[in-house]
Amino acid sequence: MAGKKDLLHVGIDLGTSRSAIAASNGSRHVVESYVGWPVDMVARKVVKKSILFGREALDSRPMLDLHRPLERGLIKEGSEKDEAAVRELIKHLISLAAPADGQKVNAVVGVPAEALRVSRQNLRTAVKGVADALMIVSEPFAVAYGMDALLHTMIIDIGAGTTDFCVMNGRYPTEDDQRTLTNAGDSVDDQLMMLVKARHPEARFSIHMIREWKEAHAYVGESPGPVQVTAPVGGKPTLLDITSEMRKACESLVAPLSETMLDLLSRVEPEFQEKVRRNVLLAGGGSQIRGLAGVLEKTLADVGGGSVRPIEDPVFAGAIGGLSIALDAPGEDWEQLAG
Amino acid sequence: MTEMQRLKKEMLRGAVRENVELLDDRVYLERRFRRAEKRWRWPVRVLSAAAAAVVIFLSVNAVSTGGGEKPEVLVVTPRTAFQAPLSGPHQAPRAIAPALFSLEVGKVVLDPGHGGADPGASAASGLAEKEVTLDVARRLRALLEDARYKVAMTREGDRGLVLRDRATFANAERGDLFVSIHVNSIPRKDARAVETYFLGAADGPQIEEVASLENRESGYALSDFRRLLEGVYAGVRQEESRRLAGEVQTSLFAGLHEANRELLDRGVKSAPLAVLIGTEMPGILVEVSCVSNEEEARLLARADYRQRIAASIFQGLRSYMDSREPAPRTAGRKKEKGS
């Protein structure tokens, strides 16, 4: 059996938009979930690499066969290229964690809560050979584990492709304890794109600019101040006011999130409902939407009140949780999960 | 051991158990497919040889009888789905050859994009996509009906429909082809282009962007997704859709280029468009122009240009239909009673 020093444990949060890794050697990295291959020899000469990842890939996209391989946090079905892209992405993440020569890697990968069994199989197939042993867990479970929030807690993990709900009842969560919605970061981007286009038809902007604006200014409820962004109009950088569009796009999440939260709460054993209501945690990039926790608390007020709070490190919470799982799992368990 | 440690141990056990089951599934599936491959190898060879013999016999017979009326024989090509290599559990079944089915086109469902409160893309002049798509669809209907095809339209006037209702309508009408008509709006204001989509995985982030915009307000619930996605790679429908898209795109570009010399041919693309996932017949989504381009918006406002669009799509549909039939129609289709 390998000793602790011969092993590198990693937790990976595999996301539609960003993927993060936390490793037992202390390294933490996050990359945008893009993988690109140069389209021809000329492109290869220009980019000077055989494969590019994350922001670097996005910035060189005209010269690349670019893939965002994860659909709702899972490998897109039916595409060998996307399967290869996810393998390369995980390989890249592990290489960022810099395992020592000959060091074995045990990886815990977080995927959306309602991931289909076959998709988990796809993931396992894609990662074959990249890590020495692999465990796949639901993202909200990884977050809860990392925060010791395993009892009477609801995790709402708002990612780019999906929003995952998970009630922690002190047992390993089953399908009944979890929900996945496709109302998430990407759906807010689509809404915002449409609304800004309608208000400023003369302005030119891309979905990537929309994402950056959202990440900087997302809010619901009361405006924290005017939301102004710069985009070219007739070739000239122009200041655009998108305050109301930002609120409307972000608030498109409120109704589905509130309904699902209440629905899951109603399924908790009656004597524990109040405890869960008082312990709702928002994770994922979407937890940074200003005012969202307050709006969800208002929803809870209708059923007796509760507390909703964003977690402190939404970017790495899933990966850190995965790492905790990896470190806690005994060696004999990892032996079962090898290959 | 503290309560938290006990909980963590319990949950880890659950996570490991789930993953081991997943691994067992994979091993089981791999074994099962290997057995299936062995079991089918000889019968398939025998069937293939028999099918080849039938083909040779029929060919010789046709020559010796002077090539009279074609016998109605379903020719099974030697390469069948059973011969797909079964190297892994996730191997998709090989697509069925469309030539196996001699299927006529009787009814075409036309889907003018957007409508009602959803104007779609708009030109600076105020011209809305929903007006153009409806007008082009009406003109296309007239051309198809003149050629004695049955036509159904998802909307006859300015009313909104979610994508799910459009697909449900097409299926209820038992259409043989589905043509969704849209007008593009692209960030490059100087670009004029036509492109045609059929159902498949998106080829890149830009196409994902088009798909996510066109998939807004799909009306599908998360619970529908698995069933919907299972339909994406249905081989025959996808292959027929690809051929249909090719014919329409070629004809559309040729027809419009005469009047619009700077028009770009952006070709045939695949994308996971919700309206095409839900329909059960071969279907395409045609972006007939770019309303974001001032000159194209001006052309789109003209009745003769819209007529040219309709005629070009009609020619493309006709080429596709004729290529499927034993003998090209020189006269119109015989109109069915009551149609």
Side-chain angles (χ1 to χ4, degrees), chain B residues 309-337:
Chain B
I309 294 172
S312 304
I313 298 175
F314 172 72
Q315 278 310 324
L317 291 173
R318 196 63 192 263
S319 301
Y320 168 81
M321 293 163 182
D322 287 346
S323 73
R324 298 191 50 75
E325 294 179 359
R329 287 190 177 94
T330 45
R333 273 172 64 90
K334 191 177 174 185
K335 199 167 187 174
E336 290 173 43
K337 274 184 185 176

mmCIF file of all heavy atoms in Angstrom, chain B residues 309-337:
data_model
loop_
_atom_site.group_PDB
_atom_site.id
_atom_site.type_symbol
_atom_site.label_atom_id
_atom_site.label_comp_id
_atom_site.label_asym_id
_atom_site.label_seq_id
_atom_site.Cartn_x
_atom_site.Cartn_y
_atom_site.Cartn_z
ATOM 1 N N ILE B 309 -36.713 34.571 -50.987
ATOM 2 C CA ILE B 309 -36.327 33.668 -49.881
ATOM 3 C C ILE B 309 -37.220 32.436 -49.897
ATOM 4 O O ILE B 309 -36.743 31.289 -49.846
ATOM 5 C CB ILE B 309 -36.439 34.381 -48.512
ATOM 6 C CG1 ILE B 309 -35.418 35.513 -48.399
ATOM 7 C CG2 ILE B 309 -36.248 33.385 -47.372
ATOM 8 C CD1 ILE B 309 -35.599 36.381 -47.162
ATOM 9 N N ALA B 310 -38.543 32.675 -49.987
ATOM 10 C CA ALA B 310 -39.499 31.560 -49.964
ATOM 11 C C ALA B 310 -39.238 30.621 -51.144
ATOM 12 O O ALA B 310 -39.215 29.390 -50.980
ATOM 13 C CB ALA B 310 -40.926 32.107 -50.009
ATOM 14 N N ALA B 311 -39.010 31.200 -52.314
ATOM 15 C CA ALA B 311 -38.792 30.376 -53.511
ATOM 16 C C ALA B 311 -37.504 29.565 -53.379
ATOM 17 O O ALA B 311 -37.446 28.404 -53.809
ATOM 18 C CB ALA B 311 -38.736 31.270 -54.742
ATOM 19 N N SER B 312 -36.492 30.166 -52.792
ATOM 20 C CA SER B 312 -35.212 29.462 -52.651
ATOM 21 C C SER B 312 -35.344 28.292 -51.668
ATOM 22 O O SER B 312 -34.801 27.208 -51.903
ATOM 23 C CB SER B 312 -34.124 30.416 -52.153
ATOM 24 O OG SER B 312 -34.029 31.516 -53.008
ATOM 25 N N ILE B 313 -36.053 28.530 -50.574
ATOM 26 C CA ILE B 313 -36.263 27.423 -49.614
ATOM 27 C C ILE B 313 -37.080 26.322 -50.301
ATOM 28 O O ILE B 313 -36.794 25.132 -50.164
ATOM 29 C CB ILE B 313 -36.977 27.907 -48.333
ATOM 30 C CG1 ILE B 313 -36.123 28.939 -47.598
ATOM 31 C CG2 ILE B 313 -37.271 26.734 -47.400
ATOM 32 C CD1 ILE B 313 -36.807 29.570 -46.392
ATOM 33 N N PHE B 314 -38.091 26.756 -51.042
ATOM 34 C CA PHE B 314 -38.932 25.780 -51.747
ATOM 35 C C PHE B 314 -38.086 24.919 -52.689
ATOM 36 O O PHE B 314 -38.228 23.695 -52.732
ATOM 37 C CB PHE B 314 -40.031 26.514 -52.522
ATOM 38 C CG PHE B 314 -40.812 25.607 -53.426
ATOM 39 C CD1 PHE B 314 -41.706 24.689 -52.910
ATOM 40 C CD2 PHE B 314 -40.621 25.641 -54.802
ATOM 41 C CE1 PHE B 314 -42.407 23.826 -53.730
ATOM 42 C CE2 PHE B 314 -41.320 24.779 -55.638
ATOM 43 C CZ PHE B 314 -42.212 23.865 -55.106
ATOM 44 N N GLN B 315 -37.188 25.552 -53.434
ATOM 45 C CA GLN B 315 -36.328 24.798 -54.352
ATOM 46 C C GLN B 315 -35.485 23.780 -53.595
ATOM 47 O O GLN B 315 -35.300 22.654 -54.050
ATOM 48 C CB GLN B 315 -35.415 25.753 -55.133
ATOM 49 C CG GLN B 315 -36.068 26.411 -56.334
ATOM 50 C CD GLN B 315 -36.766 25.409 -57.261
ATOM 51 O OE1 GLN B 315 -36.302 24.294 -57.455
ATOM 52 N NE2 GLN B 315 -37.921 25.794 -57.786
ATOM 53 N N GLY B 316 -34.987 24.211 -52.439
ATOM 54 C CA GLY B 316 -34.181 23.306 -51.620
ATOM 55 C C GLY B 316 -35.005 22.121 -51.129
ATOM 56 O O GLY B 316 -34.566 20.968 -51.179
ATOM 57 N N LEU B 317 -36.220 22.405 -50.676
ATOM 58 C CA LEU B 317 -37.109 21.335 -50.205
ATOM 59 C C LEU B 317 -37.418 20.386 -51.364
ATOM 60 O O LEU B 317 -37.424 19.164 -51.210
ATOM 61 C CB LEU B 317 -38.416 21.921 -49.665
ATOM 62 C CG LEU B 317 -38.325 22.720 -48.357
ATOM 63 C CD1 LEU B 317 -39.658 23.382 -48.023
ATOM 64 C CD2 LEU B 317 -37.920 21.790 -47.210
ATOM 65 N N ARG B 318 -37.654 20.987 -52.525
ATOM 66 C CA ARG B 318 -38.012 20.189 -53.708
ATOM 67 C C ARG B 318 -36.848 19.263 -54.099
ATOM 68 O O ARG B 318 -37.063 18.094 -54.421
ATOM 69 C CB ARG B 318 -38.355 21.163 -54.834
ATOM 70 C CG ARG B 318 -39.098 20.556 -55.996
ATOM 71 C CD ARG B 318 -40.446 20.031 -55.524
ATOM 72 N NE ARG B 318 -41.040 19.198 -56.550
ATOM 73 C CZ ARG B 318 -41.941 19.636 -57.421
ATOM 74 N NH1 ARG B 318 -42.376 20.872 -57.362
ATOM 75 N NH2 ARG B 318 -42.439 18.836 -58.330
ATOM 76 N N SER B 319 -35.647 19.803 -54.056
ATOM 77 C CA SER B 319 -34.478 18.973 -54.398
ATOM 78 C C SER B 319 -34.375 17.791 -53.440
ATOM 79 O O SER B 319 -34.116 16.661 -53.845
ATOM 80 C CB SER B 319 -33.181 19.773 -54.271
ATOM 81 O OG SER B 319 -33.230 20.863 -55.115
ATOM 82 N N TYR B 320 -34.581 18.088 -52.163
ATOM 83 C CA TYR B 320 -34.515 17.030 -51.158
ATOM 84 C C TYR B 320 -35.600 15.983 -51.417
ATOM 85 O O TYR B 320 -35.344 14.774 -51.429
ATOM 86 C CB TYR B 320 -34.658 17.624 -49.760
ATOM 87 C CG TYR B 320 -34.884 16.575 -48.695
ATOM 88 C CD1 TYR B 320 -33.818 15.850 -48.165
ATOM 89 C CD2 TYR B 320 -36.163 16.274 -48.248
ATOM 90 C CE1 TYR B 320 -34.021 14.879 -47.217
ATOM 91 C CE2 TYR B 320 -36.376 15.294 -47.305
ATOM 92 C CZ TYR B 320 -35.301 14.597 -46.783
ATOM 93 O OH TYR B 320 -35.503 13.621 -45.859
ATOM 94 N N MET B 321 -36.846 16.463 -51.635
ATOM 95 C CA MET B 321 -37.956 15.529 -51.819
ATOM 96 C C MET B 321 -37.746 14.685 -53.070
ATOM 97 O O MET B 321 -37.943 13.469 -53.062
ATOM 98 C CB MET B 321 -39.269 16.310 -51.946
ATOM 99 C CG MET B 321 -39.698 17.022 -50.683
ATOM 100 S SD MET B 321 -40.937 18.256 -51.117
ATOM 101 C CE MET B 321 -41.260 19.002 -49.534
ATOM 102 N N ASP B 322 -37.304 15.343 -54.142
ATOM 103 C CA ASP B 322 -37.102 14.610 -55.396
ATOM 104 C C ASP B 322 -36.002 13.569 -55.262
ATOM 105 O O ASP B 322 -36.089 12.485 -55.830
ATOM 106 C CB ASP B 322 -36.759 15.587 -56.526
ATOM 107 C CG ASP B 322 -37.977 16.387 -56.968
ATOM 108 O OD1 ASP B 322 -39.111 16.002 -56.602
ATOM 109 O OD2 ASP B 322 -37.795 17.407 -57.649
ATOM 110 N N SER B 323 -34.986 13.903 -54.467
ATOM 111 C CA SER B 323 -33.878 12.967 -54.324
ATOM 112 C C SER B 323 -34.299 11.720 -53.557
ATOM 113 O O SER B 323 -33.640 10.699 -53.601
ATOM 114 C CB SER B 323 -32.710 13.640 -53.600
ATOM 115 O OG SER B 323 -33.022 13.796 -52.232
ATOM 116 N N ARG B 324 -35.398 11.795 -52.846
ATOM 117 C CA ARG B 324 -35.854 10.651 -52.057
ATOM 118 C C ARG B 324 -36.758 9.716 -52.852
ATOM 119 O O ARG B 324 -37.021 8.614 -52.435
ATOM 120 C CB ARG B 324 -36.672 11.124 -50.848
ATOM 121 C CG ARG B 324 -35.925 11.968 -49.870
ATOM 122 C CD ARG B 324 -36.773 12.130 -48.634
ATOM 123 N NE ARG B 324 -37.258 10.825 -48.178
ATOM 124 C CZ ARG B 324 -36.528 9.925 -47.555
ATOM 125 N NH1 ARG B 324 -35.288 10.180 -47.293
ATOM 126 N NH2 ARG B 324 -37.044 8.761 -47.186
ATOM 127 N N GLU B 325 -37.320 10.237 -53.944
ATOM 128 C CA GLU B 325 -38.373 9.473 -54.610
ATOM 129 C C GLU B 325 -37.830 8.668 -55.779
ATOM 130 O O GLU B 325 -36.825 9.036 -56.379
ATOM 131 C CB GLU B 325 -39.478 10.437 -55.049
ATOM 132 C CG GLU B 325 -40.147 11.027 -53.817
ATOM 133 C CD GLU B 325 -41.241 12.003 -54.149
ATOM 134 O OE1 GLU B 325 -41.468 12.244 -55.329
ATOM 135 O OE2 GLU B 325 -41.846 12.506 -53.197
ATOM 136 N N PRO B 326 -38.509 7.568 -56.113
ATOM 137 C CA PRO B 326 -38.015 6.693 -57.176
ATOM 138 C C PRO B 326 -37.815 7.443 -58.493
ATOM 139 O O PRO B 326 -36.839 7.274 -59.166
ATOM 140 C CB PRO B 326 -39.106 5.629 -57.312
ATOM 141 C CG PRO B 326 -39.899 5.711 -56.057
ATOM 142 C CD PRO B 326 -39.765 7.094 -55.532
ATOM 143 N N ALA B 327 -38.776 8.249 -58.891
ATOM 144 C CA ALA B 327 -38.661 9.014 -60.131
ATOM 145 C C ALA B 327 -39.018 10.453 -59.829
ATOM 146 O O ALA B 327 -39.999 10.701 -59.136
ATOM 147 C CB ALA B 327 -39.609 8.460 -61.177
ATOM 148 N N PRO B 328 -38.229 11.426 -60.344
ATOM 149 C CA PRO B 328 -38.553 12.812 -60.037
ATOM 150 C C PRO B 328 -39.908 13.203 -60.601
ATOM 151 O O PRO B 328 -40.292 12.769 -61.681
ATOM 152 C CB PRO B 328 -37.425 13.600 -60.702
ATOM 153 C CG PRO B 328 -36.647 12.650 -61.512
ATOM 154 C CD PRO B 328 -37.086 11.279 -61.210
ATOM 155 N N ARG B 329 -40.605 13.987 -59.816
ATOM 156 C CA ARG B 329 -41.925 14.440 -60.286
ATOM 157 C C ARG B 329 -41.723 15.532 -61.324
ATOM 158 O O ARG B 329 -40.991 16.478 -61.080
ATOM 159 C CB ARG B 329 -42.723 15.026 -59.122
ATOM 160 C CG ARG B 329 -43.236 14.021 -58.162
ATOM 161 C CD ARG B 329 -44.186 14.755 -57.240
ATOM 162 N NE ARG B 329 -44.791 13.836 -56.300
ATOM 163 C CZ ARG B 329 -44.325 13.596 -55.098
ATOM 164 N NH1 ARG B 329 -43.255 14.200 -54.691
ATOM 165 N NH2 ARG B 329 -44.953 12.762 -54.301
ATOM 166 N N THR B 330 -42.397 15.390 -62.440
ATOM 167 C CA THR B 330 -42.338 16.473 -63.420
ATOM 168 C C THR B 330 -43.586 17.335 -63.274
ATOM 169 O O THR B 330 -43.549 18.537 -63.437
ATOM 170 C CB THR B 330 -42.250 15.929 -64.855
ATOM 171 O OG1 THR B 330 -43.205 14.881 -64.981
ATOM 172 C CG2 THR B 330 -40.857 15.371 -65.122
ATOM 173 N N ALA B 331 -44.693 16.673 -62.939
ATOM 174 C CA ALA B 331 -45.912 17.451 -62.683
ATOM 175 C C ALA B 331 -46.075 17.551 -61.178
ATOM 176 O O ALA B 331 -45.309 16.983 -60.417
ATOM 177 C CB ALA B 331 -47.104 16.732 -63.286
ATOM 178 N N GLY B 332 -47.078 18.255 -60.733
ATOM 179 C CA GLY B 332 -47.325 18.382 -59.303
ATOM 180 C C GLY B 332 -47.796 17.067 -58.718
ATOM 181 O O GLY B 332 -48.199 16.152 -59.438
ATOM 182 N N ARG B 333 -47.740 16.971 -57.417
ATOM 183 C CA ARG B 333 -48.230 15.772 -56.736
ATOM 184 C C ARG B 333 -49.717 15.661 -56.954
ATOM 185 O O ARG B 333 -50.425 16.641 -57.049
ATOM 186 C CB ARG B 333 -47.999 15.906 -55.229
ATOM 187 C CG ARG B 333 -46.668 15.451 -54.788
ATOM 188 C CD ARG B 333 -46.526 15.833 -53.357
ATOM 189 N NE ARG B 333 -47.519 15.124 -52.504
ATOM 190 C CZ ARG B 333 -47.273 13.950 -51.951
ATOM 191 N NH1 ARG B 333 -46.147 13.349 -52.160
ATOM 192 N NH2 ARG B 333 -48.177 13.392 -51.178
ATOM 193 N N LYS B 334 -50.175 14.403 -56.997
ATOM 194 C CA LYS B 334 -51.620 14.205 -57.108
ATOM 195 C C LYS B 334 -52.232 14.623 -55.776
ATOM 196 O O LYS B 334 -51.871 14.114 -54.727
ATOM 197 C CB LYS B 334 -51.903 12.726 -57.379
ATOM 198 C CG LYS B 334 -53.321 12.462 -57.762
ATOM 199 C CD LYS B 334 -53.500 10.985 -58.082
ATOM 200 C CE LYS B 334 -54.966 10.688 -58.329
ATOM 201 N NZ LYS B 334 -55.194 9.268 -58.520
ATOM 202 N N LYS B 335 -53.154 15.564 -55.836
ATOM 203 C CA LYS B 335 -53.733 16.080 -54.592
ATOM 204 C C LYS B 335 -54.647 15.037 -53.970
ATOM 205 O O LYS B 335 -55.466 14.431 -54.648
ATOM 206 C CB LYS B 335 -54.519 17.365 -54.876
ATOM 207 C CG LYS B 335 -54.746 18.174 -53.625
ATOM 208 C CD LYS B 335 -55.231 19.550 -53.971
ATOM 209 C CE LYS B 335 -55.280 20.396 -52.726
ATOM 210 N NZ LYS B 335 -55.610 21.773 -52.989
ATOM 211 N N GLU B 336 -54.448 14.840 -52.687
ATOM 212 C CA GLU B 336 -55.272 13.840 -52.005
ATOM 213 C C GLU B 336 -56.659 14.393 -51.730
ATOM 214 O O GLU B 336 -56.842 15.589 -51.565
ATOM 215 C CB GLU B 336 -54.609 13.458 -50.678
ATOM 216 C CG GLU B 336 -53.344 12.674 -50.881
ATOM 217 C CD GLU B 336 -52.635 12.470 -49.569
ATOM 218 O OE1 GLU B 336 -53.340 12.163 -48.597
ATOM 219 O OE2 GLU B 336 -51.407 12.629 -49.536
ATOM 220 N N LYS B 337 -57.604 13.493 -51.689
ATOM 221 C CA LYS B 337 -58.975 13.910 -51.402
ATOM 222 C C LYS B 337 -59.042 14.604 -50.062
ATOM 223 O O LYS B 337 -58.490 14.124 -49.083
ATOM 224 C CB LYS B 337 -59.900 12.687 -51.403
ATOM 225 C CG LYS B 337 -60.392 12.347 -52.785
ATOM 226 C CD LYS B 337 -61.388 11.193 -52.725
ATOM 227 C CE LYS B 337 -61.778 10.780 -54.119
ATOM 228 N NZ LYS B 337 -62.650 9.613 -54.123
#
